[in-house]
Amino acid sequence: MVTFAQVLYDFTAEPGNNELSVREGETITITNQNVGGGWIEAKNSRGEVGLVPEDYIEAQPFTSGGNAASLDLSLFDSHIPAPPSTAQTSNGNDPWAVFDSNASGGFSNNWAAQPEGTETGETSSSAWHSGGHGHPQAYQGPGAEDDEWDEEWDDVKSSGGYAESEAGEGGAIHRGGAHGSSMKIALNKFPGFSKSGPELYLLSKQPAKGTRLPVYGGEAGPVWAYPDYQLDCVVADPKKGTKMYGLKSYIEYQVTPTTTNKPVNHRYKHFDWLYERLLDKYGSAIPIPCLPDKQVTGRFEEEFIKMRMERLQGWMSRMCRHPVVSSSEVFQLFLSYKDEKDWKMGKRKAEKDETVGVMIFSTIEPEGLPDLDLIEVEQKCEQFNRFTRAMDDGVKDLLTVGNEHWKRCTGPLPKEYQRIGKAFQNLSSVFNSSGYEGEATLTDALTAAGKTYEDIAQMVAEQPKKDLHFLMETNNEYKGLLGCFPDTIGVHKAAIEKVKEADKLVATGKITTSEKITMSKRASTMSYALQAEMIHFHTNRIYDYNRVMQQYLEQQVKFYEMIAEKLRHAHSQFTTM
Amino acid sequence: MVTFAQVLYDFTAEPGNNELSVREGETITITNQNVGGGWIEAKNSRGEVGLVPEDYIEAQPFTSGGNAASLDLSLFDSHIPAPPSTAQTSNGNDPWAVFDSNASGGFSNNWAAQPEGTETGETSSSAWHSGGHGHPQAYQGPGAEDDEWDEEWDDVKSSGGYAESEAGEGGAIHRGGAHGSSMKIALNKFPGFSKSGPELYLLSKQPAKGTRLPVYGGEAGPVWAYPDYQLDCVVADPKKGTKMYGLKSYIEYQVTPTTTNKPVNHRYKHFDWLYERLLDKYGSAIPIPCLPDKQVTGRFEEEFIKMRMERLQGWMSRMCRHPVVSSSEVFQLFLSYKDEKDWKMGKRKAEKDETVGVMIFSTIEPEGLPDLDLIEVEQKCEQFNRFTRAMDDGVKDLLTVGNEHWKRCTGPLPKEYQRIGKAFQNLSSVFNSSGYEGEATLTDALTAAGKTYEDIAQMVAEQPKKDLHFLMETNNEYKGLLGCFPDTIGVHKAAIEKVKEADKLVATGKITTSEKITMSKRASTMSYALQAEMIHFHTNRIYDYNRVMQQYLEQQVKFYEMIAEKLRHAHSQFTTM
C-alpha cells in the first residue's frame, strides 16, 4: 500500500548516510516505516530513495506505525490495523498485573498467576530497554543501519522495526525477545511447586553456604552492612578489537576501580555474563537492573559506543554503590582481571555457585533484630509493592513527557527560531536596498538580531543534550530498577502465602511443627532483607533525584540566561535617536 | 461529507461561549469549518456540539480548508478541492503583477494592464486586511459569532468562513468584498483613455484649486513641508450607543487631538468616510492605507473593540504624522467636530472637492528645484517600485513566520511545559508516599520545580501579547501601506508613458508643442511629489522599525530573564547534602 507524506521542514542529507534531502512542502512516498531510530525511508518525486527524520514529515493517516502523526490518527481511523504488539503491550505494560489478579486470591491462584509472572518479567525488563532506547531515538539516527558487528546484537536487530511501531508512548518499546532479570527468575523459580520456589529456602535443611550477609537495625529501619569505603569505577576508553582474522569486530571497554586503580578490559558480553551471575545469585533479594539495551540505537558507531559506555558506567556505578553486590566475589572478579587463567577459573567457580535464587536468603543474618510476625511482613511487602508500582508510573510519565519535549526542542522549535532569524535578516537586506542614506545602523542591528535568533535556534536544538539527557537517563535507570521489583516482591509474596498455609501443611503432615516455626522465622529474615533493600533504594533515590534535578535546573538557568544575554546585546544595537 | 478530527490537547469550554470541552486523544466530528477566528464547530461522541480551537485538533486530510493540518495535506492530497479563493489569491497575492506584465511593454499594454490593476487594488488592500486580521485570529475566537451590531459589518460577516479557508499563509486572507484605496483609484482612474487618467493633470488647462503643497530640496532629497508642531491624537474610550430605539447599536470612539485637546466622538463609519475623502484627494500621490478590517475578528465585543481601537489609533497616528494629510481641511474637520451643523457643512464641502485624483498634482509646487528629465523621473519611479515590492515580500514573510510562532507559543508549547510541571509534581507526591522519613526537602523541591514549569507555561502563552503582538501590528501596518504603492506608482508610470509618446501626440496634432513641454514639466512635478513621499516613508520606516524591534527585544529579554530567575529559585531548593 502506498503511503504519502508531506515534508514539514527542509532537511539536507548528510553525505554517506544514505539520507534523502527534502524541501518543505514537498510530497514524498514512504517506502519503509520500520527503519527505526526516528527515521523513515522515503522516495521523492525524482525517484530518489533515502532516509528522512520522521519528525520532519507529516504522513497520511493510512500509514501503519512509524511516526507520531500516523499513530495519532490510528486512534480514530479504523482503517489502521493496531500494531501487532498492542495486545501484549496493554497487558505487558503493567508488570504489576499479577498482583492485581491475586490481591484477593490466596495461595493457589498466586501460584497459578506465575505464568503471567513470566510475561510480566519480559515486559518489566523490556520497559527499561524501551526507556533506555526510547529517548535516544529522538535524537539518534536509524537503527541497525550501518554496522555488522559482534554476534552480541544479532539476536535483537530483527526486532527493531516492530519496536518502532510503538514509539507513541514516549518511545516506550516492548520487545518480544527481551531478556531480563525478571523473566529469568520466573523461569527458574516458578514452575508451580518446583524446587526453586521460596519453599526451597523456607524448608531448606542444608546449612548456609557462602559469605553471610548481615542486616542491622538502622535509624530508618533495617540496613545492609555498608563498607567504610564507597567503591566506584570508571568505564572509559572503548577500543575496537577484532577476532577471527578480523572477520568479526567488537568493542572493549576499560573498567578502572577506584580501589585498585588498575584498569581491566571487558567486552559487552563480559558485562552481560556478570549481569547473569548477579541476577542468579541476588535476583530474589535485590533488584538487579538489566544492562543497557543490546539494540543498536546509534547511527554512527561513535554515537552508539558513547551511549552504551555511558550506560554501562551508570550500571556499574549503581552496582558499586550496592554493599552486597559490590562486595560479592563475582563482582570483585570482574573488577580485578589478572590473567586469562585466573579469569577462567573465577568464571567456572562463579557459574558453579549453589547459593543462587531464593537460597541467597540463607546467607542473610538479621543482627539483634526481633522476628517479625507474618502480619508485619505482609504489610511491609504490600507497602513496598504500592510504592514501587506508583513510582514506576510516575517515572514512565516523566519519560513520555521528556521524550516529546526532546523531539520538539530538536525538531520544530529551532526551525522556527531559524526562520524568525532569516526573516529579520531578509528585511535588513531589503532595507539596505532602499537607496536612502543613513539607515546603516538599523540594517546592521536587524541583521544582528536575525543572527541572534539563528544562534538561539542552535542553542535550543543542542540544549537537551546538556540537561534533559541526564534527567532522561536517570529516569530510565530507575525505570529499569523498578521493573525488577515485581519479581523480587513476587518471591516475598509467594513465601508469605506459603507460610500462611503452614498450618494446613502441618495438618496434612507435609511439614513438622518445628519446620513451620522455621518457615515463619525465615519469612521474617526475607522481610528484613527486603526492608534493607528498600532503605538502600530510598537513600539512593533521594540522592539521585536531588542531584539530577540540580543538574537539570542549573543547565536550564544557564540556557535562559544566555538567551537573555544574547538578546540584550541585540537590543542595544537599535536606536530611536 | 463527514470530517473527523483528533483532539491533540485537552480544552475546557468557557461557559456561555458555546464552546465544547474536549480531551486529548478524543475523536470529534467537524460540523463547521468556517466558523473562523481560529475556531471550528465540532460534535463529540455524545452528540454535543460546540466550538473548539482549530490548533487543538488534527483533522483528516479530507477536510477542506479550516485548519493548518488539512491545508498541509491539501498540498499533496488530490482529493482536496483547492479553496475557492486560491486562484484569486495566487494572482491577487501579487499586487505587483501589473508591472511585471509591462516591464517590457510600453504605453498601450500598460493601459491594457489596468483592469488587472483593479484586482491588484483589491488584493493589496485586502492584504492589509489579511495581515491585520490574520494574526489576531491566532489568539482570538470565532468570527461574527456573538454580535449583531451596526450595519457597518453586515456586508462582510458572510465572508468570514471563506476568509478562514486561507489561514494557511500566516493567516493571510483575501476577501472578495474588500474595499480599499487601490481599487477605488483603479475604478475612477483607468477606464482606458478616460478623463481621470494622468493626462487629465498633464494636459489640464484650469488653474490649480485649493491649498498649494510645496516640495523643498532636503538633505536626502525632495521633502514635503513639515509643520513645526507634530500633530498626534489619542483614540480612546469606546462607548456603545444605540439608534432606531435601541434596535441597532454602534460604538463611538473618542478622538482627542494633541493640538486642541478637545475630544470628538466618531463612529467607525466616520473614520471610513474620512478614509474615502483622503483616498480620493491624495490617493494618486500619497499611499493612504486602508482602515482596520471591517471583518469582525473578535469573539467578545471587548476584544474586538480593543483591537479595532488600537488599529484606528495606529491609522490616525500615521495620518497625523503625514504633513500633507494632517494639514488638510478634511482631516482637520474630522478632528475638530463642533456641532452637527458645522460637521454636515464640512462634509458636504469635502465631498464636493474637485481637486481629487491626479488633480492633486496641480497643487504641488517644487520650490527652487530644477525640472527633471524623463530618464531621471523614470529611474526614480523604477527604484521606488523595486524597493516597495521587495519590502512587501519581506514584511509578508515576517508576518507568516510570526503568525506560526504565535500559534506555537499559545498552543502546543505551554501545554508541554504544563505537562512537564505536572510530571514533576506527580513524582513528588509519589515520593511523599514512600513512608521513608526525611525526604521532605526533596518532595517540596520537586513540587516547587513542577509549579515553576506550570508558571513558565503560562508565561510562554501570554508572552506573544507582550511582544510579538506589536511586531505583528507594525508589520501589518506596513503591509497595508506597501499595498497602496502599486497604484500610486502606477499613476506615475502611466504619466511617464504618456509623456514618452508626447512627440507622437504632437505629430498627430493631438497636442501642441507647448503642451508637450508642460507635460514633461508636470511629470517632473509628479516625480518630486513621489520622491518627497518616499523620503517621508523611509524616515518613518526607519523610526518605526527601530522602535518596534527595541520594544520586541526588550520584552524578550525580560521574558527569558524571568524564566531564568524562576528556575534559579527552583534550583536552590534541591540539596545533595
Coordinates of all heavy atoms in Angstrom, one line a residue, chain A residues 436-494:
Chain A
Y436 N 18.2 54.9 0.5 CA 18.1 56.1 1.4 C 19.3 56.1 2.3 O 19.7 55.0 2.8 CB 16.8 55.9 2.2 CG 16.6 57.1 3.2 CD1 16.1 58.3 2.8 CD2 17.0 57.0 4.5 CE1 15.9 59.3 3.7 CE2 16.9 58.0 5.4 CZ 16.3 59.2 5.0 OH 16.1 60.2 5.9
E437 N 20.0 57.2 2.4 CA 21.2 57.3 3.2 C 20.9 57.2 4.7 O 19.8 57.6 5.1 CB 21.9 58.6 2.9 CG 22.4 58.8 1.5 CD 23.4 57.6 1.1 OE1 24.2 57.3 1.9 OE2 23.3 57.1 -0.1
G438 N 21.8 56.7 5.4 CA 21.8 56.8 6.9 C 20.8 55.8 7.5 O 20.2 56.2 8.5
E439 N 20.7 54.6 7.0 CA 19.9 53.7 7.8 C 20.8 52.5 8.1 O 20.3 51.4 8.5 CB 18.6 53.3 7.1 CG 18.7 52.5 5.8 CD 17.3 52.1 5.3 OE1 16.7 51.3 6.0 OE2 16.9 52.7 4.3
A440 N 22.1 52.7 8.0 CA 23.1 51.6 8.2 C 22.9 51.0 9.6 O 22.9 49.8 9.9 CB 24.5 52.1 8.1
T441 N 22.7 51.9 10.6 CA 22.5 51.5 12.0 C 21.4 50.5 12.1 O 21.5 49.4 12.7 CB 22.2 52.7 12.9 OG1 23.0 53.8 12.5 CG2 22.5 52.3 14.3
L442 N 20.2 50.8 11.5 CA 19.1 49.9 11.5 C 19.4 48.6 10.9 O 19.1 47.5 11.4 CB 17.9 50.6 10.9 CG 16.6 49.7 10.7 CD1 16.1 49.2 12.0 CD2 15.5 50.5 10.0
T443 N 19.9 48.7 9.7 CA 20.1 47.4 8.9 C 21.1 46.5 9.6 O 20.9 45.3 9.7 CB 20.5 47.7 7.5 OG1 21.7 48.5 7.5 CG2 19.4 48.3 6.7
D444 N 22.2 47.1 10.2 CA 23.2 46.3 10.9 C 22.5 45.7 12.1 O 22.7 44.5 12.4 CB 24.3 47.2 11.4 CG 25.2 47.7 10.2 OD1 24.9 47.2 9.1 OD2 26.0 48.6 10.4
A445 N 21.7 46.5 12.8 CA 21.0 46.0 14.0 C 20.0 44.8 13.7 O 20.0 43.8 14.3 CB 20.3 47.1 14.7
L446 N 19.3 45.0 12.6 CA 18.4 44.0 12.1 C 19.1 42.7 11.8 O 18.7 41.6 12.2 CB 17.6 44.5 10.9 CG 16.1 44.9 11.2 CD1 15.5 45.4 9.9 CD2 15.3 43.8 11.8
T447 N 20.2 42.8 11.1 CA 21.0 41.6 10.7 C 21.5 40.9 12.0 O 21.3 39.7 12.1 CB 22.2 42.0 9.9 OG1 21.7 42.8 8.8 CG2 23.0 40.8 9.4
A448 N 22.0 41.7 12.9 CA 22.5 41.2 14.2 C 21.4 40.5 14.9 O 21.5 39.3 15.4 CB 23.1 42.3 15.1
A449 N 20.2 41.1 15.0 CA 19.0 40.5 15.6 C 18.7 39.1 15.0 O 18.5 38.1 15.6 CB 17.8 41.4 15.6
G450 N 18.7 39.1 13.6 CA 18.4 37.9 12.9 C 19.4 36.8 13.2 O 19.1 35.7 13.6
K451 N 20.7 37.2 13.2 CA 21.8 36.2 13.5 C 21.6 35.7 15.0 O 21.7 34.5 15.2 CB 23.1 36.8 13.4 CG 23.5 37.1 11.9 CD 25.1 37.0 11.8 CE 25.4 36.9 10.3 NZ 25.2 38.2 9.5
T452 N 21.2 36.6 15.9 CA 20.9 36.2 17.2 C 19.9 35.1 17.3 O 20.1 34.1 18.0 CB 20.5 37.4 18.1 OG1 21.4 38.4 18.0 CG2 20.3 37.0 19.5
Y453 N 18.8 35.2 16.6 CA 17.8 34.2 16.6 C 18.2 32.9 16.0 O 17.8 31.8 16.3 CB 16.5 34.7 16.0 CG 15.7 35.5 17.0 CD1 15.7 36.9 17.1 CD2 14.9 34.8 18.0 CE1 15.1 37.6 18.1 CE2 14.2 35.5 19.0 CZ 14.3 36.9 19.0 OH 13.6 37.6 20.0
E454 N 19.1 33.0 15.0 CA 19.7 31.8 14.4 C 20.6 31.1 15.5 O 20.5 29.9 15.6 CB 20.5 32.1 13.2 CG 19.6 32.4 12.0 CD 20.4 32.5 10.7 OE1 21.5 33.1 10.7 OE2 19.9 32.0 9.7
D455 N 21.3 31.9 16.3 CA 22.1 31.3 17.4 C 21.2 30.6 18.4 O 21.4 29.5 18.8 CB 22.9 32.4 18.1 CG 24.0 33.0 17.2 OD1 24.2 32.5 16.1 OD2 24.5 34.1 17.6
I456 N 20.1 31.3 18.7 CA 19.2 30.8 19.7 C 18.6 29.5 19.2 O 18.5 28.5 19.9 CB 18.0 31.8 20.0 CG1 18.6 33.0 20.7 CG2 16.9 31.1 20.7 CD1 17.6 34.1 20.9
A457 N 18.3 29.4 17.9 CA 17.8 28.2 17.3 C 18.8 27.0 17.6 O 18.4 25.9 18.0 CB 17.6 28.3 15.8
Q458 N 20.1 27.3 17.4 CA 21.1 26.3 17.6 C 21.2 25.9 19.1 O 21.2 24.7 19.4 CB 22.4 26.8 17.1 CG 23.4 25.6 16.7 CD 24.7 26.2 16.2 OE1 24.8 27.4 15.8 NE2 25.7 25.3 16.1
M459 N 21.1 26.9 19.9 CA 21.2 26.7 21.3 C 20.0 25.8 21.8 O 20.2 24.8 22.5 CB 21.1 28.0 22.1 CG 22.4 28.8 22.1 SD 22.1 30.4 22.8 CE 21.5 30.0 24.5
V460 N 18.8 26.1 21.3 CA 17.6 25.3 21.6 C 17.8 23.8 21.2 O 17.5 22.9 22.0 CB 16.4 25.9 20.9 CG1 15.2 24.9 21.0 CG2 16.0 27.2 21.5
A461 N 18.3 23.7 20.0 CA 18.5 22.3 19.5 C 19.5 21.5 20.2 O 19.4 20.3 20.4 CB 18.9 22.3 18.0
E462 N 20.5 22.2 20.8 CA 21.6 21.5 21.5 C 21.4 21.3 23.0 O 22.0 20.5 23.6 CB 22.9 22.2 21.2 CG 23.5 22.0 19.8 CD 24.6 23.0 19.5 OE1 24.9 23.8 20.3 OE2 25.0 23.0 18.3
Q463 N 20.4 22.1 23.5 CA 20.2 22.1 24.9 C 19.9 20.8 25.5 O 20.4 20.4 26.5 CB 19.2 23.2 25.3 CG 19.1 23.5 26.8 CD 20.4 23.9 27.4 OE1 21.3 24.3 26.7 NE2 20.5 23.7 28.7
P464 N 18.9 20.0 24.9 CA 18.5 18.8 25.5 C 19.7 17.9 25.8 O 19.7 17.2 26.9 CB 17.6 18.1 24.4 CG 17.1 19.3 23.7 CD 18.2 20.3 23.7
K465 N 20.7 17.9 25.0 CA 21.9 17.0 25.3 C 22.6 17.5 26.6 O 23.3 16.7 27.2 CB 22.9 17.1 24.1 CG 22.4 16.3 22.9 CD 23.6 15.9 22.0 CE 23.0 15.1 20.8 NZ 23.1 15.9 19.5
K466 N 22.4 18.7 26.9 CA 23.1 19.3 28.1 C 22.3 19.1 29.4 O 22.8 19.2 30.5 CB 23.3 20.8 27.9 CG 24.3 21.0 26.8 CD 24.6 22.5 26.7 CE 25.4 22.9 25.4 NZ 25.3 24.3 25.1
D467 N 20.9 19.0 29.3 CA 20.2 18.8 30.6 C 19.2 17.7 30.5 O 19.3 16.7 31.3 CB 19.5 20.2 31.0 CG 18.8 20.9 29.8 OD1 18.3 20.2 28.9 OD2 18.7 22.1 29.9
L468 N 18.2 17.8 29.6 CA 17.2 16.8 29.5 C 17.8 15.4 29.4 O 17.2 14.4 30.0 CB 16.3 17.1 28.3 CG 15.0 16.3 28.2 CD1 14.2 16.3 29.5 CD2 14.1 16.8 27.0
H469 N 18.9 15.3 28.7 CA 19.5 14.0 28.6 C 19.7 13.3 29.9 O 19.4 12.1 30.1 CB 20.9 14.2 27.9 CG 21.7 12.9 27.8 ND1 21.4 11.8 27.0 CD2 22.8 12.6 28.4 CE1 22.3 10.9 27.1 NE2 23.2 11.3 28.0
F470 N 20.3 14.0 30.9 CA 20.6 13.3 32.2 C 19.4 13.0 33.0 O 19.3 12.0 33.6 CB 21.6 14.2 32.9 CG 22.9 14.5 32.2 CD1 23.1 15.7 31.6 CD2 23.8 13.5 32.1 CE1 24.3 15.9 30.9 CE2 25.0 13.7 31.3 CZ 25.2 14.9 30.7
L471 N 18.4 13.9 32.8 CA 17.1 13.7 33.5 C 16.5 12.4 32.9 O 16.0 11.5 33.7 CB 16.2 14.8 33.3 CG 14.8 14.8 34.0 CD1 15.1 14.8 35.5 CD2 14.0 16.0 33.6
M472 N 16.6 12.2 31.6 CA 16.0 11.1 31.0 C 16.8 9.8 31.4 O 16.2 8.8 31.7 CB 16.1 11.2 29.5 CG 15.2 12.4 28.9 SD 13.5 12.1 29.2 CE 13.1 11.2 27.7
E473 N 18.1 9.9 31.4 CA 18.9 8.7 31.7 C 18.7 8.3 33.1 O 18.5 7.1 33.3 CB 20.4 9.1 31.5 CG 20.9 9.2 30.1 CD 20.8 7.9 29.3 OE1 21.4 6.9 29.8 OE2 20.1 7.8 28.3
T474 N 18.6 9.2 34.0 CA 18.4 8.8 35.4 C 17.0 8.1 35.5 O 16.9 7.1 36.2 CB 18.4 10.0 36.3 OG1 19.7 10.7 36.2 CG2 18.2 9.6 37.8
N475 N 16.0 8.7 34.9 CA 14.7 8.1 35.0 C 14.7 6.7 34.3 O 14.0 5.8 34.7 CB 13.6 9.0 34.5 CG 13.2 10.0 35.5 OD1 12.5 9.8 36.4 ND2 13.8 11.2 35.4
N476 N 15.4 6.6 33.2 CA 15.5 5.3 32.5 C 16.1 4.3 33.4 O 15.6 3.1 33.5 CB 16.4 5.4 31.3 CG 15.6 6.0 30.1 OD1 14.4 5.8 30.0 ND2 16.3 6.8 29.3
E477 N 17.1 4.7 34.2 CA 17.8 3.8 35.1 C 16.8 3.3 36.1 O 16.7 2.1 36.4 CB 18.9 4.5 35.8 CG 20.3 4.0 35.5 CD 21.3 4.5 36.5 OE1 21.6 5.7 36.4 OE2 21.8 3.7 37.3
Y478 N 16.0 4.3 36.7 CA 15.0 3.9 37.7 C 13.9 3.1 37.1 O 13.4 2.2 37.8 CB 14.5 5.1 38.4 CG 15.4 5.4 39.6 CD1 16.5 6.2 39.5 CD2 15.2 4.8 40.8 CE1 17.4 6.5 40.5 CE2 16.0 5.0 41.9 CZ 17.1 5.9 41.8 OH 18.0 6.1 42.8
K479 N 13.6 3.4 35.9 CA 12.5 2.5 35.2 C 13.0 1.1 35.2 O 12.3 0.2 35.5 CB 12.3 3.0 33.8 CG 11.2 2.4 33.1 CD 11.0 3.1 31.8 CE 9.8 2.5 31.0 NZ 9.6 3.3 29.7
G480 N 14.3 0.9 34.9 CA 14.9 -0.4 34.9 C 14.9 -1.1 36.3 O 14.4 -2.2 36.4
L481 N 15.3 -0.3 37.3 CA 15.3 -0.8 38.7 C 13.9 -1.2 39.1 O 13.7 -2.3 39.6 CB 15.8 0.2 39.6 CG 17.3 0.2 39.9 CD1 17.7 1.4 40.7 CD2 17.6 -1.1 40.8
L482 N 13.0 -0.3 38.8 CA 11.6 -0.6 39.3 C 11.0 -1.8 38.6 O 10.1 -2.5 39.1 CB 10.8 0.7 39.0 CG 11.1 1.9 39.9 CD1 10.6 3.2 39.3 CD2 10.6 1.7 41.3
G483 N 11.5 -2.0 37.3 CA 11.0 -3.1 36.6 C 11.3 -4.5 37.2 O 10.7 -5.5 36.9
C484 N 12.3 -4.4 38.1 CA 12.7 -5.7 38.8 C 11.9 -6.0 40.0 O 11.8 -7.1 40.4 CB 14.2 -5.6 39.2 SG 15.3 -5.2 37.8
F485 N 11.3 -5.0 40.6 CA 10.6 -5.2 41.9 C 9.5 -6.2 41.8 O 9.3 -7.0 42.7 CB 10.1 -3.8 42.4 CG 11.2 -3.2 43.2 CD1 12.0 -2.1 42.7 CD2 11.5 -3.6 44.5 CE1 13.0 -1.5 43.4 CE2 12.5 -3.0 45.3 CZ 13.2 -1.9 44.7
P486 N 8.6 -6.1 40.7 CA 7.5 -7.1 40.7 C 8.0 -8.5 41.0 O 7.3 -9.2 41.8 CB 6.9 -6.9 39.3 CG 7.3 -5.6 38.9 CD 8.6 -5.3 39.6
D487 N 9.1 -8.9 40.5 CA 9.6 -10.2 40.7 C 10.2 -10.4 42.1 O 9.9 -11.4 42.8 CB 10.6 -10.6 39.7 CG 10.0 -10.6 38.3 OD1 8.9 -11.3 38.2 OD2 10.5 -10.0 37.4
T488 N 11.0 -9.5 42.5 CA 11.6 -9.5 43.9 C 10.5 -9.6 44.9 O 10.4 -10.5 45.8 CB 12.4 -8.3 44.2 OG1 13.3 -8.0 43.0 CG2 13.3 -8.5 45.4
I489 N 9.5 -8.7 44.7 CA 8.3 -8.7 45.7 C 7.5 -10.0 45.5 O 7.0 -10.6 46.4 CB 7.5 -7.5 45.4 CG1 8.2 -6.2 46.0 CG2 6.1 -7.6 46.1 CD1 7.6 -4.9 45.6
G490 N 7.5 -10.5 44.3 CA 6.7 -11.7 44.0 C 7.3 -12.9 44.8 O 6.5 -13.6 45.4
V491 N 8.6 -12.9 44.9 CA 9.2 -14.0 45.7 C 8.7 -13.9 47.2 O 8.3 -14.9 47.8 CB 10.7 -13.9 45.7 CG1 11.4 -15.0 46.6 CG2 11.2 -14.0 44.3
H492 N 8.7 -12.7 47.7 CA 8.2 -12.5 49.1 C 6.8 -12.9 49.2 O 6.4 -13.6 50.2 CB 8.5 -11.1 49.5 CG 9.9 -10.8 49.7 ND1 10.6 -10.8 50.9 CD2 10.9 -10.4 48.8 CE1 11.9 -10.5 50.8 NE2 12.1 -10.3 49.5
K493 N 6.0 -12.4 48.3 CA 4.5 -12.7 48.4 C 4.3 -14.2 48.4 O 3.6 -14.8 49.1 CB 3.8 -12.1 47.2 CG 3.7 -10.6 47.4 CD 2.7 -10.0 46.3 CE 2.2 -8.6 46.8 NZ 0.9 -8.7 47.4
A494 N 5.1 -14.9 47.5 CA 5.0 -16.4 47.4 C 5.3 -17.0 48.8 O 4.6 -17.9 49.2 CB 5.9 -16.9 46.3

